[in-house]
Amino acid sequence: MINIEYQESLYYYPKFIDKIKGKTVGIICDINTEKYALNVKDMCDKVSKTLICTYQDHELIPSEDKIEVGIKFAEDVDYVLVVGSGTLNDMGKYIGTVLNIPTGVFATAPSMDGYLSKGSALYEKGYKVTKEVNMPADVLVHLDTLANAPKLMIASGVGDILGKITCLTDWKLSNIVNNEPIHEEGFKLMEEALNACLTDFDAIVNYNKLGIKKLMDALITAGLSMAIVGNSRPASGSEHHISHYLEMDFVKKQLPVPFHGIKVALGTLVALELYHGLLEVTDLPHKEEITQLVNTLPTVNEVKDMLIKAGCPIRFSEINVAKETFIEMFYNAHKVRDRFTILTFISKLGLHDYFLPRVLEKYF
């Protein structure tokens, strides 16, 4: 049973504290999250022996050498507690899985949906890989910390959640085209969390604590829905494939990597453009069903306006993507994962050349 505890301003989580009494806790953070880690250490010190490992990287890449540092640090602890978000969370889960010890996370930003994911995105020999990992035992949520996270990290979380619009639609598309089964419980769980964020969107983008809690709830729910389904289908589709493609390119070129959800947001715009563009295609397979599906979607401009309100970039050039990289991404992102999405459908229909001028003009 996963323990998810919320506090508004206090650094006190009773169920977690009971769990670590008398144990050795290894806190893993980086230079960006160390100030929060020291507060968490003070809390843990009251009931446990607490060690801390601080990565000095301002932009931590989860490569083999960094993972090895974490494994060595955690060899003699009973519990690994990450203080951070995306990369640190993935590293902590993997380290705990390798060492067969429980892990938890003190979330420092509502920036991505992987807190409870059973996969960790890591790098091996420069390539992004997803490792199957154990879910964390505890998620500690501190609303003051989340509401005061860097605005671009909150925008990233918004982008990751808005990406569920296209990701869930990709699942429906594959059901229409390939008869891929839809796991009703996992689908509904993610859909309801998305809709809750859409309903309270203004509270989120105004950094209201209740709005930020709603965003964090949805990000956590993504992990739960993936666990129920047994894979990432409820939370990751075409928009994530675009993000993954770009991330590998940034790392390969040794360029700063934009936040995951920012890339997802941009991928969502492209995917929505393709969905609405399908209505123009003559001799479209499954035309009636796909037309009905597309007509349930928001317009691209509606989603674009939401991203602007959240402070997200709305063009790939804004995050330092070169034009040639954008074109390569458009033609090849569907190859990143073996999963049917709108990108796969466009490729099978031979429509890349048809749509390229429009997506270049609108989103590059």
Side-chain angles (χ1 to χ4, degrees):
M1 186 73 176
I2 300 164
N3 171 44
I4 303 171
E5 291 188 83
Y6 283 83
Q7 283 287 359
E8 185 168 342
S9 56
L10 295 176
Y11 280 81
Y12 181 64
Y13 300 88
K15 292 180 181 178
F16 170 70
I17 290 296
D18 284 346
K19 188 177 295 185
I20 64 167
K21 279 181 181 177
K23 296 183 178 178
T24 301
V25 176
I27 293 176
I28 296 178
C29 62
D30 65 15
I31 197 69
N32 302 304
T33 64
E34 187 178 36
K35 62 181 180 179
Y36 305 111
L38 294 175
N39 289 330
V40 173
K41 185 177 185 300
D42 287 343
M43 174 185 71
C44 296
D45 279 340
K46 293 178 173 62
V47 297
S48 67
K49 177 183 178 182
T50 313
L51 308 176
I52 189 164
C53 170
T54 303
Y55 287 98
Q56 297 301 310
D57 311 63
H58 283 281
E59 187 175 324
L60 183 61
I61 301 295
S63 54
E64 298 100 325
D65 56 330
K66 300 297 181 182
I67 293 289
E68 190 58 39
V69 169
I71 290 173
K72 188 171 182 180
F73 163 75
E75 282 177 345
D76 297 320
V77 307
D78 304 306
Y79 186 105
V80 169
L81 180 64
V82 164
V83 178
S85 55
T87 297
L88 282 164
N89 182 62
D90 279 344
M91 291 173 66
K93 289 185 294 183
Y94 181 72
I95 290 165
T97 301
V98 169
L99 297 175
N100 196 30
I101 55 176
T103 67
V105 57
F106 177 92
T108 55
S111 56
M112 54 90 219
D113 66 3
Y115 283 111
L116 288 185
S117 168
K118 295 181 76 172
S120 281
L122 307 172
Y123 279 87
E124 288 185 352
K125 299 177 181 177
Y127 289 93
K128 190 168 187 178
V129 296
T130 299
K131 296 286 190 179
E132 186 173 345
V133 294
N134 299 327
M135 295 173 74
D138 302 273
V139 179
L140 309 182
V141 181
H142 191 256
L143 292 176
D144 276 355
T145 297
L146 299 189
N148 289 288
K151 298 295 187 282
L152 195 60
M153 295 190 80
I154 297 174
S156 175
V158 171
D160 215 351
I161 289 302
L162 291 182
K164 308 314 173 213
I165 296 170
T166 49
C167 132
L168 294 175
T169 305
D170 284 338
W171 202 353
K172 288 181 177 179
L173 177 67
S174 188
N175 176 256
I176 292 168
V177 176
N178 304 313
N179 203 30
E180 179 184 342
I182 292 178
H183 191 294
E184 294 298 335
E185 183 185 359
F187 187 99
K188 184 179 179 182
L189 191 65
M190 190 69 261
E191 185 177 48
E192 288 178 347
L194 165 64
N195 288 337
C197 286
L198 296 177
T199 299
D200 288 328
F201 192 76
D202 285 343
I204 294 171
V205 297
N206 288 323
Y207 312 112
N208 177 290
K209 286 182 188 177
L210 290 177
I212 294 298
K213 182 180 184 299
K214 194 68 64 77
L215 174 61
M216 189 64 182
D217 286 344
L219 294 167
I220 290 172
T221 296
L224 293 174
S225 65
M226 287 188 276
I228 289 169
V229 173
N231 58 57
S232 63
R233 187 50 132 163
S236 175
S238 48
E239 72 298 320
H240 273 71
H241 297 174
I242 287 172
S243 175
H244 294 328
Y245 185 94
L246 290 177
E247 183 164 333
M248 288 188 290
D249 187 75
F250 279 116
V251 170
K252 182 180 179 181
K253 294 174 180 174
Q254 298 185 319
L255 295 170
V257 181
F259 292 127
H260 167 76
I262 298 299
K263 301 190 298 294
V264 168
L266 290 166
T268 301
L269 293 178
V270 171
L272 274 174
E273 186 71 39
L274 296 176
Y275 269 112
H276 286 288
L278 287 178
L279 301 185
E280 308 163 11
V281 178
T282 55
D283 300 324
L284 180 70
H286 311 280
K287 189 172 183 66
E288 184 177 345
E289 290 174 282
I290 289 175
T291 298
Q292 291 176 355
L293 177 63
V294 172
N295 286 336
T296 67
L297 291 171
T299 67
V300 180
N301 284 337
E302 285 172 334
V303 174
K304 187 186 293 185
D305 287 345
M306 296 176 79
L307 292 174
I308 291 170
K309 280 186 179 180
C312 279
I314 55 171
R315 286 184 174 271
F316 286 78
S317 56
E318 294 180 70
I319 62 166
N320 202 29
V321 174
K323 184 177 180 180
E324 56 270 24
T325 301
F326 179 92
I327 295 170
E328 291 169 2
M329 171 208 80
F330 185 64
Y331 280 90
N332 295 298
H334 68 283
K335 302 173 185 176
V336 168
R337 294 283 188 274
D338 184 18
R339 175 170 294 164
F340 191 90
T341 71
I342 184 64
L343 299 176
T344 324
F345 196 45
I346 292 301
S347 177
K348 288 183 179 297
L349 295 177
L351 292 172
H352 279 119
D353 291 347
Y354 176 76
F355 283 115
L356 178 61
R358 143 179 0 181
V359 295
L360 258 178
E361 179 186 354
K362 290 187 174 183
Y363 307 112
F364 174 69

